[in-house]
Amino acid sequence: MPNPTAAMLVIGDEILSGRTRDANMHYLAGQLTEAAIDLKEVRVISDDRAAIIAAVQALSGAYTHVFTSGGIGPTHDDITAECIAAAFDTPIDVRDDARALLQAHYDRSGQELNAARLRMARIPEGATLIDNPVSTAPGFTLRNVHVMAGVPSIFQAMVASILPNLTGGAPLLSRTLRVTRGEGDIAGPLGQFAADHSGLSVGSYPFIKDGLHGSNVVLRGTDAAELDSAMAKLSAILTA
Amino acid sequence: MPNPTAAMLVIGDEILSGRTRDANMHYLAGQLTEAAIDLKEVRVISDDRAAIIAAVQALSGAYTHVFTSGGIGPTHDDITAECIAAAFDTPIDVRDDARALLQAHYDRSGQELNAARLRMARIPEGATLIDNPVSTAPGFTLRNVHVMAGVPSIFQAMVASILPNLTGGAPLLSRTLRVTRGEGDIAGPLGQFAADHSGLSVGSYPFIKDGLHGSNVVLRGTDAAELDSAMAKLSAILTA
């Protein structure tokens, strides 16, 4: 059975303006690979209602899971929850359990649960809350869309709380051969090798380091013995 | 007149698997902001023919410019050039000027211009070459799509060679106010401020540092005097 598929939707003007460097994509990519869920696409879009709704609908229909980051705080530019609800034509309002979480949190810290903070208790009907051990305000899962915060420490905690409940396929294993020859030198035999091993994924990722051209050749598959055997052959071919 | 718009398409399995952390998105985002070209969307997709063609067609139709990174090397998994040609139903073949560049480069370095390397001279009909001062193999611009290498040093050199020829709008300026209060405390007055200054973009980017919740509030606009005046008001409101 093929692995489940996933897309990520990063929501935030600050990434697109170059002000902030996104850290969540790389984190989620690594976690999903370990969980044997195939991340197929990432989109980064701005805090724009129409853009968010269109992207959620497109990705939700195309992949098993969609993970979003950003736009669920208390300020006027935090519009993700509203847009997710709109994408599925679902009502959204303050929910009692989310409000109770926030009320307890702000009571403890002696702060007021004001109107802005209460916006973070607005949850689309039928959604499941995602625990936020860092700052309490929850994320949520609606259908196959997991809606999480953009602040990396919160995003990572939310991913940790939902990933164990998502069923992945067979874990994808990889083996890497570092070759200090230009890709142009190895491309011929490597293409033949890839054709001979159609059950494996064969990628070549070039680098330039200290003026030296080289490539990391990565084999990916689900069978460790098959990978080891293929890697031995590849090593003989490329480093002969 | 509104600024020209742009999308970026990052092509590469290695980003989606978490093996490599993309560096080009953040670089391009900063460069485009300086050039007054509005980056509206980034997509990261795998080395998959159908996915590349669909994304190029969608983004090319929606934005003034599309910038791609990755997949133009000599190995079997480098399929970007073929896919760009297919996306526009344009023939692609080895082009004499691109071949001459490569021939001279490999003659100088005493390496063979073999069949794999010659693939890097395959250029869609009607495209303009993009100079590659790092490793010679050119990128190209076809219609509104700028096709560049994924290796960051090459990507950056290619961006530097094309950006001066793209006409941007009025440069977007920004002012940042760092507020060491939780977003929930400032959200009310900030929302009112944003409503009162609809000609500016007002964003709030929360952080947690050493357990302290705060936010960078960023004003963006094209008029420096207007920004300074607004920032003085904002500072009085939020730090009063």
Side-chain angles (χ1 to χ4, degrees):
Chain A
M1 210 175 77
N3 286 350
T5 59
M8 179 181 189
L9 183 62
V10 178
I11 299 162
D13 293 342
E14 71 276 24
I15 312 285
L16 292 172
S17 73
R19 195 184 169 284
T20 300
R21 182 173 173 175
D22 169 70
N24 295 330
M25 182 199 312
H26 183 61
Y27 178 78
L28 183 67
Q31 294 295 111
L32 291 178
T33 293
E34 277 186 29
I37 296 172
D38 292 348
L39 181 61
K40 292 291 197 185
E41 179 170 354
V42 178
R43 293 191 193 180
V44 186
I45 57 174
S46 64
D47 305 307
D48 176 88
R49 182 177 166 89
I52 297 172
I53 292 173
V56 167
Q57 289 173 340
L59 297 175
S60 169
Y63 302 105
T64 318
H65 296 286
V66 179
F67 301 85
T68 81
S69 76
I72 62 168
T75 58
H76 65 283
D77 54 346
D78 290 309
I79 59 173
T80 298
E82 306 284 339
C83 295
I84 302 286
F88 293 117
D89 204 10
T90 297
I92 180 170
D93 205 344
V94 169
R95 208 166 90 174
D96 287 345
D97 55 351
R99 179 211 292 261
L101 286 170
L102 292 172
Q103 187 71 61
H105 172 71
Y106 289 111
D107 283 351
R108 272 194 308 273
S109 62
Q111 293 176 293
E112 184 202 353
L113 179 54
N114 58 21
R117 290 189 170 118
L118 198 56
R119 286 189 66 220
M120 296 190 287
R122 289 173 64 81
I123 305 290
E125 204 170 289
T128 307
L129 299 188
I130 299 176
D131 187 38
N132 172 359
V134 177
S135 57
T136 303
F140 61 84
T141 295
L142 181 65
R143 304 202 196 183
N144 65 340
V145 183
H146 311 282
V147 178
M148 298 178 286
V151 174
S153 59
I154 306 175
F155 180 80
Q156 293 175 19
M158 288 181 167
V159 169
S161 81
I162 58 170
L163 262 194
N165 302 319
L166 308 178
T167 308
L172 195 65
L173 309 172
S174 69
R175 301 285 185 274
T176 300
L177 181 68
R178 183 184 161 91
V179 183
T180 50
R181 296 161 67 191
E183 272 197 307
D185 274 335
I186 63 171
L190 186 62
Q192 185 59 53
F193 176 88
D196 293 343
H197 294 79
S198 56
L200 300 177
S201 150
V202 182
S204 173
Y205 308 114
F207 61 80
I208 305 175
K209 190 159 186 185
D210 303 329
L212 194 75
H213 289 253
S215 177
N216 287 305
V217 179
V218 179
L219 306 186
R220 294 189 189 87
T222 54
D223 182 326
E226 182 186 7
L227 276 177
D228 289 334
S229 152
M231 183 49 93
K233 274 190 230 164
L234 183 67
S235 179
I237 292 169
L238 295 189
T239 61
Chain B
M1 209 176 77
N3 286 350
T5 59
M8 179 181 189
L9 183 62
V10 178
I11 299 162
D13 293 342
E14 70 277 22
I15 313 285
L16 293 172
S17 73
R19 194 184 171 284
T20 301
R21 183 173 173 175
D22 169 71
N24 295 330
M25 181 197 313
H26 184 62
Y27 178 79
L28 183 67
Q31 294 294 113
L32 291 179
T33 294
E34 279 187 27
I37 295 172
D38 292 348
L39 181 61
K40 292 291 198 185
E41 179 171 354
V42 178
R43 292 192 193 179
V44 186
I45 57 174
S46 65
D47 304 307
D48 176 88
R49 182 178 166 90
I52 298 171
I53 292 172
V56 166
Q57 289 173 339
L59 297 175
S60 168
Y63 302 104
T64 319
H65 295 288
V66 179
F67 301 85
T68 80
S69 75
I72 62 167
T75 58
H76 65 284
D77 53 347
D78 290 309
I79 60 173
T80 298
E82 306 284 339
C83 294
I84 302 285
F88 293 116
D89 205 10
T90 297
I92 180 170
D93 205 345
V94 169
R95 208 166 91 175
D96 288 345
D97 54 351
R99 179 211 292 262
L101 286 170
L102 292 171
Q103 186 70 63
H105 172 71
Y106 289 111
D107 283 352
R108 275 194 305 275
S109 63
Q111 293 176 293
E112 184 202 352
L113 178 55
N114 58 22
R117 291 188 170 118
L118 198 56
R119 286 189 65 221
M120 297 190 287
R122 289 172 64 80
I123 305 290
E125 203 170 289
T128 307
L129 298 188
I130 299 176
D131 188 37
N132 172 359
V134 178
S135 58
T136 303
F140 61 84
T141 296
L142 182 64
R143 304 202 196 183
N144 65 339
V145 182
H146 311 283
V147 177
M148 298 178 285
V151 174
S153 60
I154 305 175
F155 180 80
Q156 293 175 19
M158 288 181 167
V159 169
S161 82
I162 59 170
L163 262 194
N165 301 320
L166 307 178
T167 308
L172 195 64
L173 309 173
S174 70
R175 300 286 185 272
T176 300
L177 180 68
R178 183 183 161 92
V179 183
T180 50
R181 295 162 67 192
E183 272 197 307
D185 274 335
I186 63 171
L190 186 62
Q192 185 59 53
F193 176 88
D196 293 344
H197 295 79
S198 57
L200 300 176
S201 149
V202 182
S204 174
Y205 308 113
F207 61 79
I208 305 175
K209 189 156 186 186
D210 302 329
L212 194 76
H213 289 253
S215 177
N216 287 304
V217 179
V218 180
L219 307 185
R220 294 189 189 88
T222 54
D223 182 326
E226 182 187 5
L227 275 177
D228 289 334
S229 153
M231 182 49 92
K233 275 190 231 166
L234 183 67
S235 179
I237 293 168
L238 296 189
T239 62

mmCIF file of all heavy atoms in Angstrom, chain B residues 173-195:
data_model
loop_
_atom_site.group_PDB
_atom_site.id
_atom_site.type_symbol
_atom_site.label_atom_id
_atom_site.label_comp_id
_atom_site.label_asym_id
_atom_site.label_seq_id
_atom_site.Cartn_x
_atom_site.Cartn_y
_atom_site.Cartn_z
ATOM 1 N N LEU B 173 8.876 50.008 1.906
ATOM 2 C CA LEU B 173 9.665 50.322 3.098
ATOM 3 C C LEU B 173 8.974 49.726 4.310
ATOM 4 O O LEU B 173 7.764 49.488 4.306
ATOM 5 C CB LEU B 173 9.772 51.840 3.253
ATOM 6 C CG LEU B 173 10.239 52.595 1.997
ATOM 7 C CD1 LEU B 173 10.131 54.107 2.216
ATOM 8 C CD2 LEU B 173 11.678 52.205 1.653
ATOM 9 N N SER B 174 9.729 49.513 5.368
ATOM 10 C CA SER B 174 9.104 48.986 6.576
ATOM 11 C C SER B 174 9.683 49.628 7.818
ATOM 12 O O SER B 174 10.804 50.141 7.813
ATOM 13 C CB SER B 174 9.267 47.462 6.642
ATOM 14 O OG SER B 174 10.619 47.132 6.879
ATOM 15 N N ARG B 175 8.875 49.643 8.868
ATOM 16 C CA ARG B 175 9.311 50.091 10.188
ATOM 17 C C ARG B 175 8.850 49.033 11.173
ATOM 18 O O ARG B 175 7.722 48.537 11.067
ATOM 19 C CB ARG B 175 8.662 51.430 10.552
ATOM 20 C CG ARG B 175 8.965 52.582 9.597
ATOM 21 C CD ARG B 175 10.379 53.114 9.758
ATOM 22 N NE ARG B 175 10.616 54.283 8.916
ATOM 23 C CZ ARG B 175 11.048 54.212 7.658
ATOM 24 N NH1 ARG B 175 11.289 53.043 7.089
ATOM 25 N NH2 ARG B 175 11.238 55.324 6.964
ATOM 26 N N THR B 176 9.708 48.679 12.121
ATOM 27 C CA THR B 176 9.374 47.627 13.077
ATOM 28 C C THR B 176 9.380 48.166 14.498
ATOM 29 O O THR B 176 10.302 48.870 14.897
ATOM 30 C CB THR B 176 10.387 46.466 12.969
ATOM 31 O OG1 THR B 176 10.344 45.938 11.648
ATOM 32 C CG2 THR B 176 10.046 45.357 13.968
ATOM 33 N N LEU B 177 8.337 47.827 15.238
ATOM 34 C CA LEU B 177 8.268 48.177 16.661
ATOM 35 C C LEU B 177 8.273 46.883 17.460
ATOM 36 O O LEU B 177 7.387 46.041 17.294
ATOM 37 C CB LEU B 177 6.979 48.963 16.953
ATOM 38 C CG LEU B 177 6.781 49.401 18.409
ATOM 39 C CD1 LEU B 177 7.809 50.459 18.809
ATOM 40 C CD2 LEU B 177 5.356 49.946 18.609
ATOM 41 N N ARG B 178 9.287 46.726 18.286
ATOM 42 C CA ARG B 178 9.353 45.528 19.114
ATOM 43 C C ARG B 178 8.602 45.787 20.414
ATOM 44 O O ARG B 178 8.921 46.725 21.150
ATOM 45 C CB ARG B 178 10.823 45.201 19.408
ATOM 46 C CG ARG B 178 11.030 43.936 20.214
ATOM 47 C CD ARG B 178 12.522 43.765 20.504
ATOM 48 N NE ARG B 178 12.753 42.852 21.599
ATOM 49 C CZ ARG B 178 12.953 41.545 21.449
ATOM 50 N NH1 ARG B 178 12.960 41.026 20.251
ATOM 51 N NH2 ARG B 178 13.137 40.781 22.507
ATOM 52 N N VAL B 179 7.603 44.986 20.679
ATOM 53 C CA VAL B 179 6.755 45.176 21.857
ATOM 54 C C VAL B 179 6.906 43.953 22.754
ATOM 55 O O VAL B 179 6.686 42.829 22.312
ATOM 56 C CB VAL B 179 5.274 45.325 21.442
ATOM 57 C CG1 VAL B 179 4.410 45.594 22.663
ATOM 58 C CG2 VAL B 179 5.114 46.430 20.416
ATOM 59 N N THR B 180 7.284 44.182 24.001
ATOM 60 C CA THR B 180 7.438 43.035 24.904
ATOM 61 C C THR B 180 6.179 42.843 25.744
ATOM 62 O O THR B 180 6.227 42.773 26.961
ATOM 63 C CB THR B 180 8.680 43.210 25.805
ATOM 64 O OG1 THR B 180 8.634 44.498 26.411
ATOM 65 C CG2 THR B 180 9.949 43.088 24.997
ATOM 66 N N ARG B 181 5.067 42.792 25.048
ATOM 67 C CA ARG B 181 3.798 42.427 25.684
ATOM 68 C C ARG B 181 3.177 41.357 24.802
ATOM 69 O O ARG B 181 3.414 41.307 23.587
ATOM 70 C CB ARG B 181 2.859 43.635 25.729
ATOM 71 C CG ARG B 181 3.376 44.773 26.609
ATOM 72 C CD ARG B 181 2.685 46.092 26.294
ATOM 73 N NE ARG B 181 1.280 46.088 26.644
ATOM 74 C CZ ARG B 181 0.419 47.040 26.242
ATOM 75 N NH1 ARG B 181 0.825 48.029 25.453
ATOM 76 N NH2 ARG B 181 -0.842 46.992 26.605
ATOM 77 N N GLY B 182 2.377 40.471 25.401
ATOM 78 C CA GLY B 182 1.732 39.421 24.619
ATOM 79 C C GLY B 182 0.853 40.030 23.540
ATOM 80 O O GLY B 182 0.317 41.126 23.704
ATOM 81 N N GLU B 183 0.716 39.312 22.421
ATOM 82 C CA GLU B 183 -0.128 39.794 21.332
ATOM 83 C C GLU B 183 -1.549 40.070 21.809
ATOM 84 O O GLU B 183 -2.214 40.978 21.322
ATOM 85 C CB GLU B 183 -0.176 38.757 20.216
ATOM 86 C CG GLU B 183 0.923 38.863 19.189
ATOM 87 C CD GLU B 183 0.528 38.078 17.944
ATOM 88 O OE1 GLU B 183 0.182 36.896 18.082
ATOM 89 O OE2 GLU B 183 0.570 38.654 16.849
ATOM 90 N N GLY B 184 -2.021 39.262 22.756
ATOM 91 C CA GLY B 184 -3.389 39.425 23.251
ATOM 92 C C GLY B 184 -3.605 40.776 23.913
ATOM 93 O O GLY B 184 -4.714 41.315 23.920
ATOM 94 N N ASP B 185 -2.558 41.347 24.464
ATOM 95 C CA ASP B 185 -2.667 42.658 25.106
ATOM 96 C C ASP B 185 -2.746 43.792 24.089
ATOM 97 O O ASP B 185 -3.339 44.832 24.361
ATOM 98 C CB ASP B 185 -1.431 42.918 25.993
ATOM 99 C CG ASP B 185 -1.597 42.324 27.385
ATOM 100 O OD1 ASP B 185 -2.744 42.155 27.825
ATOM 101 O OD2 ASP B 185 -0.566 42.020 28.017
ATOM 102 N N ILE B 186 -2.087 43.619 22.970
ATOM 103 C CA ILE B 186 -2.013 44.727 22.000
ATOM 104 C C ILE B 186 -3.000 44.569 20.848
ATOM 105 O O ILE B 186 -3.188 45.488 20.056
ATOM 106 C CB ILE B 186 -0.587 44.875 21.419
ATOM 107 C CG1 ILE B 186 -0.193 43.626 20.627
ATOM 108 C CG2 ILE B 186 0.423 45.143 22.541
ATOM 109 C CD1 ILE B 186 1.105 43.781 19.844
ATOM 110 N N ALA B 187 -3.628 43.400 20.766
ATOM 111 C CA ALA B 187 -4.447 43.100 19.577
ATOM 112 C C ALA B 187 -5.584 44.103 19.386
ATOM 113 O O ALA B 187 -5.864 44.508 18.247
ATOM 114 C CB ALA B 187 -5.006 41.686 19.664
ATOM 115 N N GLY B 188 -6.245 44.512 20.472
ATOM 116 C CA GLY B 188 -7.366 45.436 20.346
ATOM 117 C C GLY B 188 -6.942 46.768 19.747
ATOM 118 O O GLY B 188 -7.393 47.143 18.656
ATOM 119 N N PRO B 189 -6.048 47.513 20.440
ATOM 120 C CA PRO B 189 -5.607 48.800 19.875
ATOM 121 C C PRO B 189 -4.902 48.652 18.515
ATOM 122 O O PRO B 189 -5.024 49.532 17.657
ATOM 123 C CB PRO B 189 -4.642 49.348 20.937
ATOM 124 C CG PRO B 189 -4.415 48.244 21.923
ATOM 125 C CD PRO B 189 -5.557 47.294 21.807
ATOM 126 N N LEU B 190 -4.209 47.523 18.305
ATOM 127 C CA LEU B 190 -3.520 47.339 17.020
ATOM 128 C C LEU B 190 -4.523 47.179 15.873
ATOM 129 O O LEU B 190 -4.324 47.725 14.778
ATOM 130 C CB LEU B 190 -2.594 46.118 17.096
ATOM 131 C CG LEU B 190 -1.706 45.893 15.878
ATOM 132 C CD1 LEU B 190 -0.748 47.057 15.672
ATOM 133 C CD2 LEU B 190 -0.922 44.583 16.018
ATOM 134 N N GLY B 191 -5.596 46.452 16.137
ATOM 135 C CA GLY B 191 -6.633 46.278 15.118
ATOM 136 C C GLY B 191 -7.256 47.612 14.739
ATOM 137 O O GLY B 191 -7.499 47.896 13.559
ATOM 138 N N GLN B 192 -7.518 48.446 15.757
ATOM 139 C CA GLN B 192 -8.079 49.773 15.502
ATOM 140 C C GLN B 192 -7.099 50.618 14.681
ATOM 141 O O GLN B 192 -7.485 51.289 13.725
ATOM 142 C CB GLN B 192 -8.386 50.466 16.845
ATOM 143 C CG GLN B 192 -9.076 51.799 16.698
ATOM 144 C CD GLN B 192 -10.403 51.662 15.954
ATOM 145 O OE1 GLN B 192 -11.250 50.855 16.328
ATOM 146 N NE2 GLN B 192 -10.567 52.437 14.875
ATOM 147 N N PHE B 193 -5.804 50.543 15.065
ATOM 148 C CA PHE B 193 -4.768 51.286 14.337
ATOM 149 C C PHE B 193 -4.722 50.854 12.868
ATOM 150 O O PHE B 193 -4.630 51.684 11.959
ATOM 151 C CB PHE B 193 -3.407 51.059 15.013
ATOM 152 C CG PHE B 193 -2.251 51.696 14.303
ATOM 153 C CD1 PHE B 193 -1.873 53.010 14.583
ATOM 154 C CD2 PHE B 193 -1.528 50.989 13.350
ATOM 155 C CE1 PHE B 193 -0.803 53.601 13.916
ATOM 156 C CE2 PHE B 193 -0.459 51.575 12.675
ATOM 157 C CZ PHE B 193 -0.101 52.883 12.969
ATOM 158 N N ALA B 194 -4.774 49.539 12.640
ATOM 159 C CA ALA B 194 -4.731 49.022 11.261
ATOM 160 C C ALA B 194 -5.924 49.531 10.464
ATOM 161 O O ALA B 194 -5.794 49.907 9.291
ATOM 162 C CB ALA B 194 -4.696 47.492 11.264
ATOM 163 N N ALA B 195 -7.095 49.565 11.108
ATOM 164 C CA ALA B 195 -8.301 50.053 10.425
ATOM 165 C C ALA B 195 -8.176 51.539 10.093
ATOM 166 O O ALA B 195 -8.628 52.000 9.045
ATOM 167 C CB ALA B 195 -9.528 49.807 11.292
#
